[in-house]
Amino acid sequence: MQKHLWLWILVVAATIGIYRYSDLQQSQASGFVARKTALKQLPYLEFTGNLEKSAGDQRQHVVIKLPNNLLAFCSSDPNSTQAAGALSVNIGSFADPPELQGLAHFLEHMLFMGTEKYPQEGEYVAHIKKYAGTYNAFTSVDTTTYFFGIANEALEETLDRFSRFFIDPLLPSDSVDRELHAVDSEHKGNLQNDMRREFQIQRTLSNQSHPFSYYSGGNLKTLRDSAQQLGWDIREKLLWFYNEYYSADVMKLSIIGNYSIDELVEWAVDKFSAIESKGKAWSQELGHPLSTQLGKLIRYQMLGDAYQMTLEFALPELNSMYRSRPDLYVQRLLERRTSGSLLHFLRAKQWAVDIDTYSLSTGWDSFNIFYISISLTPNGFEQYEAVLQAVLGYLEVVVSAGPLQHLYEEMKAINDLEYRFYTYPRATRWVLQRSMGSHNQHIAPRDLLLLEKKTIEFNHSDILEFMTYFHPQNYRVSIGAQHFPDVELSEIEPHYGTPYRVDSLPSTLVNKFGLQKTCNFSLPKPNKYIPEDVHVVGKIQPNSASKPTLLQKTDSHELWFKQDDQFAQPYGYIRVKLAFAQPEKLPIDSVAAELLTSYLEDVMQSELGDAELAGLDASVSVKIGHVNIKVTGFSAKLSVLLETILYKLKTLVIDDSVFQDNVIQLNQTYQNEHYKQPFRQLKGRQLEYISRELSWHVDTLEEQLSFLTIDKLQSLVDLMFNRAFAKILVSGNFEEVDAISISSKLQSIIGAQPLAEDKQITNRVVDIEPGHFIHAAKLTDTSFVNGAVSTVIFCGKENSAYDRVVVDMLEQIIDDPLFDELRTKEQLGYVVHAASRGYSNGRLLLYMVAQSEVSPAYLTERIDRFIRDIRQHLLDYSDRDIASLAQSMINARSERLKSIVQEAARLWKPIDSGTYKFDKNAQEILQLQSIKKQDLVHAWDMYVNPGTAVNYTRIDMQLWSTKTRFPTLDELKSYPVSIISLSRCLEKDGIMGVGIDGLSRIVQDFSTDDIDGAFAELSNLASSMQNATTDAAATLSDRTKTALKMALDAQATNNSLPSKDGSAFAKQLPLTPDNRRIIEDISAFKTNQPFYSQPIPE
C-alpha cells in the first residue's frame, strides 16, 4: 500500500521515527555495568538486563555504551555469510543554517572523500567493491545515516575504514566543487519527481520560522551561490558543521556478522571510541511546522497525468507511545478496502482509486504530521469538496466509535504471530533499523529488539488521545493536477519550480465533520482470514536439498511440491500459472491483459483487503496467453484465498463503469512513463521493448487502448477457461495431501479442456545479431534538463553458469571505476553505474548507464573511451583480488535464505521458465571456485572490447533532453558521434552557429598528438562566430576540450575498425561514419531479428 516508500529514508516515517532508544546518560540506573573487552581490555558499559526478543531469533545480541557515550548494538549470526554495519547521527537537515540549506546533505557526500588514515579518495569504495559489497548514506530531517554490507571476512577492515569517517575525515578542498555539483545533479535528477515536488510544496508552505520549511536536499544555489553572496568559505562552514554537531553522544552504531559477540564488541570499542564526545549536539524548541498553516487549500501543478489529494493533520510527538502505536490503529481503519470503508465508498463513486496513510516523526519530541494521501480520478478531482467531506465523515465515524478492542486484538494477533515466527531481514536492513531506531529517549532497554513488533499492547487512552486531533480545524489539504481549469497558479515554489496557489478552505470543510450518514460507513467486522491454526507440520533438516517434487503431471497440469524443512514456520507459498489458448499476439492483446490485471485488483479490493490485514498477500497478473496468481502468508487460509480469486476470475462479468474507470487509470500509467527519469525509461520499458517479442513501445500501447472494448476484455476472460494448462507450486507449511487437495480444487474450478504444449504462447527473447547499433530518441517531457544513455553489450549465454559468473564479476569490477571516472572525477551526473541481466535461454547483457545535462552523444563517447581503456584495469587485478571477489560472490550465493517465501520464489523461476534447473546457485559456486583472471580478460576480449570481439553486439540507446539539440538522421549518417558530441559541447558553452563541417575539418586536419593545435584552431573558429566572445579559448570548457580529444582519438581508432555487421538486414541500416548502424524503428528492427525459442520468466 505504501506508495511513498522514499519517505522511509527521507523523513523518518512511522516505522522509524517512533522508535528511539533511551538516553544512556542514565546508564547505570538502566542496567548498564562496566566491562572490558576480551583482547585489549578496553573499557565499555554493557546492558545486562533482559532483552526481549522473538523465540524465532536464534542470534546473540548485546547493547553497549562506549566511553565516549556512543551506543552500539552488536549481533552475532553464525549462519550469515554477509556482514553489515550502520552508524546513524542524530543530526539532519533541521540543523542546516537557513543561509546554507542542504549543508547536512553536502557533508554526507564529503565524508566519503578520504580520511587521515585512508587518505586516497575512492579507497573506501574500492575496498567495498573488492568484496562485492554495498554502501550508501542518506540524510533525513533529524538523522544522517551511513551503512555498508560486506563479506564476513572483510568486516574488521571495513569497520576500521568506516569509523574514520567520524574520527578524522579530510573533507578535501579539491573535492568541494565536484561534490557540490554532485549534490546539484542529484537535485536536478529529482525535479520531475511529483512526490518530491508535492512534499517540497508542503514544506515550503509550512511555518517559515521552522526548519521544516527548508530545502534539505540542497543545490548550487542554496549552497555555493549563497555562501559566495555572504562572503563565506563553504568548506569552512562544512568543517564548522562537522565539528559542531558530529558528536559521539548522538551517534548510534549497529554491527552484525558471523563472529562471536566478544569479537564484535572488541571491534566496536576499539575502532569507534576515538570519536569525539561533544555533549548533546543540537536541540531547540521547534514548535509545530503547521501551526500557522491550518485550514489552507494548496493547489499545485503535477507533471504526470494524475490527480492527488493529501490531508495533513497536525499532531504532537508520538515517541512516548511506542508500545501502543495508536497511529497504526488509525492507519488500519483508513486504509481498509472492505465494504463500509472510506475507500470502498470513494471507489463506488468513482472518485478515488487508492488511499495511503503515513506519519512523519522526529527524534526530538517536537511534532508529528499524519498524512492521508488519496489518488483521485478525474471525477474525484472535479468533486474534491465532496471527497473531503467523505473523508471527514469517515473520521467522524472512527472518532465517535472510539477504540475497538476486537480490531486491535486482530492487529496484535497477526503481529504477535509474525514476531513469534520471526523472519530475519537482510543484514543491511537489520543494522539500519537498529542504528536509526536507537535515538528515542522513551523506549525501555528491554524493548530494544522490538523494532519488528509493530504493536506491543492495547492502550485505550493513547488511542483516544490520538483521535482527538482528527477534527476539521486541525488539517490542511493539497491537491495536485496537471491543469486547474479556471484557477490560476500564480506562485512558483523556488526549489522545484512548481506552480501553486494557496487559498483558505471553504467554511463547510473546517467548521464541522462531513455528512457521514449519507455515505453508509461502517467499522470492520471480524476478519475471516485471521488464522486459527498455526500448527507447523515440517521439521528442520539443515542439509536437505532445496528442490521441489513433481507430484502430478497430466495433459492439463503439473503440480510441484516442497514442504518447509528449513524454517519451521506456519507460512505458505502457492503459485499458479494458467496458460490458455489465445489466437493473436498483438499490441491490443497486451493492453487488454494489463487492463484486466488492474480491473481484477479493483473488483477484488474488499476480499484482498481483508486477506492483507490478516497477514496474507495476493497478486494476479495477466499477460498474453497466461495468468499468474500468487498467494503467500499464513498457510491455514491460503487455499481459501486462492480458490476465491480463481472463482472470481472465472465468473467475472465486465462492468461498464469499472471498465471505463480502469481505462482512464491505464491511460494515465502509459502517460506517466514519459515522466520517469530518463535512465529509468531506458532500463525499464525501453530495454524490454528491444529485448522481448511481446513488448511494445508505450506510445503504441496508449494508441491501442483507445480501441479496446468491453467485449474484447470479456472475451479474454472467457478464453482463459476454454483450453488451459496449469503449472502449480505448493510450498511451505503443507503436507503432500494438502498440495494434492489444492490442485484438485483448482482443476475443478478451472474446468477447461487441456492445452497442448505447442499451443502455449511463449514470450521469446530477441536474439540480436552482431553489429554496433545506435538508437536516439527525444524525451517527451520538455521540462527534463537531463538526457541519458544506456550502452548495452550482449555477452555470453544465460543458461551457462560459467558465462553468468564471468559477466557478473565483470560488472562488479567495472562498476566502481566507471562511477569514479564519470561521476566523481568528470561530474557527468549523479546517475552512473554498470549492471548486468539475463533472459532465460537468451543472452547475458552487460550495460552501462549515465544520466546528465551534457549531450547523450558526449556520454556515449565517454562510455566508449571507458570501455576501450578499462582493459588495463582488468590486467592490473591480482590473482588475490580475483580470489577475494570470487569468494565474496560465493558467500552471497551461499547465504541462507531468510524465509519460505524467498525459497519458494527461487524454486518457481525454473518451473516458470521450463528449464527446471534448481541447482543454479550450486553450479555458479562451482564455477566461481575455479575462476581466474584470464577468464575475465578472455570474456572481455570476446564480447566487450570492440577491437577484438569477433561477434561484437552492442546497442547505444540515447534519450535526448529537449534542452539539447537533437541530431537529425542526416547528421548521424554524415558525422561520427564524437563530432556531434563536440558540436553540442560548444553549444552548451554558448558558442552557437559553429558549422559541424568546420568541426569535422579540424578533426581531420589534426592528429591526437597535436591537441593544443586543434584546440587553438577550434578557438579561432568559435571566435569568428557573431555571438562568440572575444576570448573564445577562455569561454570553452574543459569538457569541450575533452570532446575534441575524443573526436581526434575516434578519428584514429575508428578508421582501423571495420563494421561488425552480422546479418544482411543490419547491412541495410544506415551507417554512421564511425561504423554504427542506426536503428530508426525498434519495432521493424526487432521483427527482422531471430528469436530464442524458450519463454522468459515473468
Side-chain angles (χ1 to χ4, degrees):
M1 293 289 292
Q2 285 286 356
K3 299 173 188 173
H4 298 69
L5 290 179
W6 60 279
L7 285 169
W8 184 85
I9 288 174
L10 185 65
V11 300
V12 193
T15 55
I16 288 172
I18 299 298
Y19 296 110
R20 310 287 183 190
Y21 298 153
S22 59
D23 180 356
L24 292 181
Q25 297 290 342
Q26 303 173 1
S27 302
Q28 301 294 338
S30 301
F32 284 82
V33 299
R35 300 278 197 235
K36 289 188 177 180
T37 63
L39 184 61
K40 295 185 178 180
Q41 294 292 293
L42 302 172
Y44 68 96
L45 295 172
E46 178 183 342
F47 176 69
T48 58
N50 179 42
L51 283 176
E52 289 190 20
K53 70 173 186 175
S54 165
D57 186 357
Q58 301 303 309
R59 301 167 299 182
Q60 286 185 284
H61 309 283
V62 67
V63 179
I64 64 173
K65 179 185 173 187
L66 277 53
N68 57 4
N69 216 26
L70 183 148
L71 180 72
F73 196 105
C74 300
S75 301
S76 173
D77 183 359
N79 296 316
S80 174
T81 59
Q82 295 292 302
L87 190 146
S88 181
V89 189
N90 197 187
I91 202 74
S93 61
F94 276 5
D96 287 343
E99 304 88 351
L100 293 176
Q101 295 177 28
L103 190 63
H105 181 212
F106 180 37
L107 176 60
E108 171 217 306
H109 277 244
M110 288 294 293
L111 284 190
F112 287 89
M113 298 296 109
T115 64
E116 289 184 15
K117 186 172 183 179
Y118 300 99
Q120 184 177 347
E121 186 178 304
E123 195 278 342
Y124 173 77
V125 175
H127 168 79
I128 294 286
K129 293 295 183 180
K130 177 182 176 181
Y131 293 97
T134 59
Y135 70 96
N136 213 331
F138 47 85
T139 303
S140 71
V141 294
D142 64 337
T143 60
T144 307
T145 305
Y146 306 79
F147 69 96
F148 66 85
I150 201 73
N152 266 305
E153 63 266 25
L155 178 57
E156 183 183 8
E157 298 174 69
T158 309
L159 287 171
D160 195 53
R161 289 164 170 79
F162 185 63
S163 66
R164 308 312 294 192
F165 285 16
F166 316 101
I167 298 171
D168 53 14
L170 292 176
L171 307 179
S173 300
D174 57 0
S175 297
V176 167
D177 188 62
R178 283 192 284 108
E179 288 309 306
L180 279 170
H181 279 86
V183 169
D184 192 63
S185 178
E186 187 177 352
H187 158 74
K188 288 176 178 174
N190 292 326
L191 289 177
Q192 278 69 40
N193 186 313
D194 274 326
M195 285 191 297
R196 289 181 179 269
R197 290 161 66 89
E198 177 193 23
F199 188 53
Q200 189 56 48
I201 279 281
Q202 292 164 348
R203 293 187 63 168
T204 298
L205 297 178
S206 63
N207 188 337
Q208 295 300 293
S209 63
H210 197 291
F212 187 69
S213 65
Y214 297 174
Y215 178 53
S216 58
N219 54 32
L220 286 177
K221 182 178 179 180
T222 67
L223 291 166
R224 183 196 64 185
D225 297 350
S226 181
Q228 288 175 351
Q229 291 169 8
L230 294 167
W232 292 350
D233 183 323
I234 188 68
R235 182 174 180 271
E236 289 299 317
K237 288 297 179 182
L238 202 65
L239 288 167
W240 163 79
F241 191 95
Y242 175 84
N243 291 326
E244 183 76 11
Y245 296 132
Y246 268 53
S247 169
D249 308 87
V250 293
M251 293 180 181
K252 314 298 180 185
L253 172 69
S254 179
I255 304 169
I256 188 169
N258 68 355
Y259 298 88
S260 69
I261 282 292
D262 284 348
E263 289 173 295
L264 295 173
V265 168
E266 186 84 42
W267 296 338
V269 177
D270 183 32
K271 301 180 187 305
F272 291 87
S273 291
I275 300 173
E276 186 179 353
S277 170
K278 304 166 187 174
K280 289 293 183 182
W282 190 88
S283 64
Q284 59 177 267
E285 292 297 325
L286 296 175
H288 204 290
L290 300 186
S291 59
T292 61
Q293 303 298 314
L294 299 174
K296 302 294 185 183
L297 169 62
I298 303 166
R299 296 179 176 92
Y300 68 95
Q301 185 181 73
M302 297 180 70
L303 297 175
D305 183 13
Y307 304 92
Q308 195 71 31
M309 173 188 287
T310 302
L311 290 79
E312 300 169 78
F313 285 85
L315 275 69
E317 65 85 17
L318 300 177
N319 297 337
S320 59
M321 300 181 184
Y322 74 93
R323 292 185 66 86
S324 58
R325 294 302 303 272
D327 56 318
L328 293 184
Y329 176 87
V330 174
Q331 280 183 254
R332 183 179 179 114
L333 287 170
L334 285 167
E335 292 184 0
R336 282 177 56 225
R337 291 181 276 170
T338 52
S339 178
S341 69
L342 174 61
L343 182 58
H344 189 272
F345 171 79
L346 294 177
R347 282 196 175 216
K349 287 286 189 179
Q350 296 184 313
W351 288 346
V353 296
D354 204 2
I355 293 177
D356 189 20
T357 63
Y358 48 97
S359 62
L360 183 154
S361 293
T362 71
W364 294 307
D365 289 357
S366 51
F367 70 91
N368 182 285
I369 301 175
F370 190 91
Y371 297 86
I372 304 173
S373 181
I374 306 173
S375 298
L376 298 173
T377 63
N379 192 31
F381 170 67
E382 293 177 2
Q383 302 288 328
Y384 82 89
E385 289 194 28
V387 174
L388 276 173
Q389 285 204 346
V391 175
L392 295 175
Y394 185 74
L395 285 172
E396 182 179 8
V397 172
V398 171
V399 172
S400 299
L404 302 176
Q405 185 150 357
H406 85 270
L407 176 61
Y408 194 92
E409 291 302 325
E410 283 187 358
M411 293 172 58
K412 190 173 184 299
I414 293 299
N415 190 234
D416 286 349
L417 282 174
E418 290 175 343
Y419 193 66
R420 174 183 164 193
F421 298 101
Y422 181 68
T423 298
Y424 295 163
R426 288 182 176 272
T428 49
R429 186 170 179 84
W430 171 263
V431 294
L432 282 170
Q433 288 173 327
R434 260 19 63 190
S435 60
M436 294 180 69
S438 58
H439 295 297
N440 189 336
Q441 61 184 336
H442 296 282
I443 195 167
R446 69 179 186 276
D447 295 335
L448 290 174
L449 282 168
L450 296 181
L451 288 177
E452 286 73 30
K453 193 170 185 179
K454 297 174 184 175
T455 55
I456 303 173
E457 62 188 17
F458 179 77
N459 189 310
H460 189 275
S461 61
D462 280 357
I463 297 174
L464 272 181
E465 180 185 349
F466 185 76
M467 286 179 169
T468 62
Y469 295 97
F470 290 91
H471 59 79
Q473 293 81 44
N474 194 43
Y475 81 106
R476 69 174 179 180
V477 65
S478 53
I479 299 176
Q482 281 185 327
H483 308 288
F484 287 84
D486 305 323
V487 176
E488 181 185 1
L489 306 183
S490 55
E491 303 293 328
I492 301 294
E493 194 281 321
H495 306 294
Y496 281 77
T498 307
Y500 73 92
R501 69 174 287 149
V502 182
D503 298 291
S504 294
L505 281 166
S507 59
T508 55
L509 297 174
V510 295
N511 293 332
K512 61 180 179 179
F513 270 122
L515 305 176
Q516 57 93 359
K517 293 182 180 179
T518 66
C519 300
N520 296 317
F521 291 136
S522 62
L523 295 175
K525 297 179 175 63
N527 190 335
K528 68 179 181 181
Y529 286 108
I530 297 293
E532 295 141 8
D533 177 17
V534 290
H535 175 65
V536 175
V537 300
K539 295 182 179 179
I540 292 179
Q541 302 176 39
N543 298 320
S544 65
S546 181
K547 181 179 178 180
T549 300
L550 181 60
L551 294 184
Q552 296 175 342
K553 183 171 177 60
T554 72
D555 57 359
S556 64
H557 75 282
E558 58 184 48
L559 170 64
W560 294 84
F561 173 69
K562 168 69 167 62
Q563 186 179 80
D564 172 34
D565 54 14
Q566 298 294 311
F567 306 99
Q569 294 182 334
Y571 297 115
Y573 178 107
I574 307 176
R575 192 75 180 258
V576 179
K577 181 178 182 179
L578 185 68
F580 56 88
Q582 189 163 353
E584 294 182 306
K585 300 184 291 184
L586 301 174
I588 196 168
D589 298 303
S590 178
V591 173
E594 281 196 73
L595 187 70
L596 185 55
T597 298
S598 64
Y599 186 100
L600 285 167
E601 181 181 351
D602 199 344
V603 298
M604 294 192 68
Q605 58 169 305
S606 180
E607 198 73 32
L608 298 182
D610 266 349
E612 181 182 332
L613 294 175
L616 307 184
D617 186 51
S619 66
V620 183
S621 174
V622 184
K623 304 289 183 181
I624 292 179
H626 69 267
V627 56
N628 262 306
I629 304 174
K630 178 179 71 173
V631 292
T632 63
F634 293 109
S635 59
K637 301 291 182 76
L638 272 190
S639 62
V640 176
L641 178 59
L642 178 59
E643 291 163 25
T644 301
I645 293 171
L646 197 56
Y647 182 78
K648 180 68 175 180
L649 180 57
K650 183 172 183 178
T651 58
L652 187 66
V653 177
I654 305 300
D655 175 81
D656 180 67
S657 62
V658 181
F659 172 83
Q660 297 299 337
D661 200 29
N662 278 271
V663 167
I664 292 171
Q665 293 174 44
L666 185 55
N667 187 69
Q668 289 177 336
T669 298
Y670 290 149
Q671 285 281 327
N672 290 334
E673 285 291 322
H674 300 301
Y675 299 101
K676 291 181 178 178
Q677 287 202 46
F679 85 97
R680 295 194 185 281
Q681 294 185 40
L682 287 177
K683 289 177 62 178
R685 283 187 184 259
Q686 192 85 336
L687 184 57
E688 293 295 286
Y689 177 33
I690 205 166
S691 301
R692 305 174 69 156
E693 179 187 14
L694 303 182
S695 182
W696 291 272
H697 194 278
V698 67
D699 291 344
T700 301
L701 299 176
E702 186 180 351
E703 177 187 349
Q704 290 298 307
L705 179 60
S706 63
F707 299 110
L708 187 62
T709 64
I710 291 179
D711 290 341
K712 173 74 173 177
L713 201 63
Q714 188 66 60
S715 67
L716 175 59
V717 175
D718 298 338
L719 276 174
M720 292 179 182
F721 300 94
N722 183 8
R723 287 183 295 133
F725 182 86
K727 286 185 176 182
I728 306 166
L729 171 64
V730 178
S731 182
N733 190 44
F734 299 102
E735 302 277 11
E736 275 192 18
V737 65
D738 299 324
I740 293 171
S741 175
I742 289 169
S743 175
S744 176
K745 290 178 181 177
L746 294 183
Q747 293 306 307
S748 176
I749 295 172
I750 294 169
Q753 294 296 312
L755 178 67
E757 186 174 359
D758 62 350
K759 300 298 183 182
Q760 297 174 27
I761 293 176
T762 59
N763 192 0
R764 298 179 297 175
V765 184
V766 183
D767 181 13
I768 306 292
E769 294 187 312
H772 186 171
F773 304 97
I774 184 170
H775 174 71
K778 291 181 183 178
L779 285 162
T780 303
D781 183 5
T782 59
S783 65
F784 275 116
V785 297
N786 290 321
V789 162
S790 178
T791 291
V792 183
I793 299 173
F794 295 78
C795 300
K797 298 177 180 179
E798 196 279 336
N799 60 8
S800 164
Y802 172 81
D803 286 353
R804 288 197 304 270
V805 300
V806 166
V807 172
D808 191 4
M809 190 171 281
L810 287 175
E811 175 204 331
Q812 297 281 349
I813 290 173
I814 70 172
D815 183 52
D816 176 45
L818 178 72
F819 181 88
D820 184 58
E821 182 63 35
L822 271 64
R823 188 278 197 191
T824 304
K825 294 177 180 175
E826 299 187 29
Q827 287 297 298
L828 290 181
Y830 187 71
V831 177
V832 176
H833 64 263
S836 63
R837 68 179 300 175
Y839 293 107
S840 180
N841 204 44
R843 299 282 291 279
L844 293 160
L845 279 58
L846 181 67
Y847 56 98
M848 284 147 270
V849 177
Q851 177 174 289
S852 176
E853 290 183 74
V854 304
S855 75
Y858 186 91
L859 290 177
T860 299
E861 288 303 285
R862 291 309 298 142
I863 291 175
D864 192 72
R865 290 295 98 188
F866 175 83
I867 290 171
R868 296 174 191 272
D869 296 341
I870 197 63
R871 187 177 189 274
Q872 187 57 49
H873 180 73
L874 274 176
L875 294 174
D876 291 341
Y877 251 68
S878 68
D879 291 336
R880 182 177 178 182
D881 290 337
I882 297 294
S884 294
L885 179 57
Q887 186 58 52
S888 297
M889 294 170 68
I890 289 171
N891 291 343
R893 286 160 171 79
S894 303
E895 179 77 3
R896 184 177 184 269
L897 295 174
K898 307 294 185 186
S899 67
I900 289 171
V901 170
Q902 195 176 47
E903 179 188 58
R906 179 180 290 184
L907 296 177
W908 175 251
K909 287 184 179 180
I911 295 173
D912 181 24
S913 66
T915 63
Y916 304 107
K917 294 180 178 178
F918 300 105
D919 61 346
K920 182 177 178 179
N921 263 22
Q923 291 298 320
E924 291 182 1
I925 289 171
L926 190 65
Q927 295 296 333
L928 284 166
Q929 288 170 345
S930 59
I931 205 85
K932 303 294 182 187
K933 180 167 69 175
Q934 55 263 36
D935 294 305
L936 303 177
V937 176
H938 174 72
W940 188 266
D941 289 341
M942 177 178 286
Y943 301 120
V944 186
N945 188 346
T948 57
V950 176
N951 293 315
Y952 192 57
T953 310
R954 167 176 159 182
I955 302 178
D956 296 322
M957 297 197 298
Q958 301 178 345
L959 278 178
W960 287 68
S961 165
T962 57
K963 312 296 183 186
T964 305
R965 188 161 59 89
F966 185 74
T968 65
L969 179 61
D970 284 342
E971 265 189 306
L972 288 170
K973 289 162 59 177
S974 303
Y975 304 101
V977 175
S978 58
I979 297 293
I980 297 173
S981 162
L982 178 58
S983 168
R984 301 314 188 262
C985 282
L986 282 170
E987 292 173 5
K988 191 75 173 175
D989 290 341
I991 309 297
M992 315 300 280
V994 175
I996 198 165
D997 284 330
L999 300 179
S1000 184
R1001 283 193 295 272
I1002 292 174
V1003 172
Q1004 292 171 2
D1005 291 345
F1006 289 86
S1007 68
T1008 54
D1009 297 330
D1010 193 10
I1011 180 65
D1012 291 336
F1015 189 69
E1017 185 67 19
L1018 179 63
S1019 300
N1020 291 335
L1021 181 61
S1023 296
S1024 68
M1025 295 297 101
Q1026 184 177 0
N1027 63 338
T1029 62
T1030 54
D1031 185 6
T1035 302
L1036 298 180
S1037 65
D1038 290 341
R1039 193 161 287 154
T1040 297
K1041 191 168 185 177
T1042 299
L1044 176 61
K1045 185 177 186 307
M1046 288 194 299
L1048 294 171
D1049 289 343
Q1051 175 77 10
T1053 303
N1054 289 322
N1055 286 341
S1056 64
L1057 289 178
S1059 174
K1060 302 275 186 175
D1061 305 330
S1063 68
F1065 172 76
K1067 292 175 182 177
Q1068 297 173 15
L1069 297 175
L1071 182 67
T1072 69
D1074 45 1
N1075 295 318
R1076 305 178 203 204
R1077 294 290 177 180
I1078 303 168
I1079 302 174
E1080 298 177 73
D1081 183 343
I1082 290 180
S1083 181
F1085 174 79
K1086 192 165 67 169
T1087 302
N1088 285 277
Q1089 300 296 311
F1091 293 93
Y1092 291 102
S1093 61
Q1094 293 297 316
I1096 308 168
E1098 299 299 336

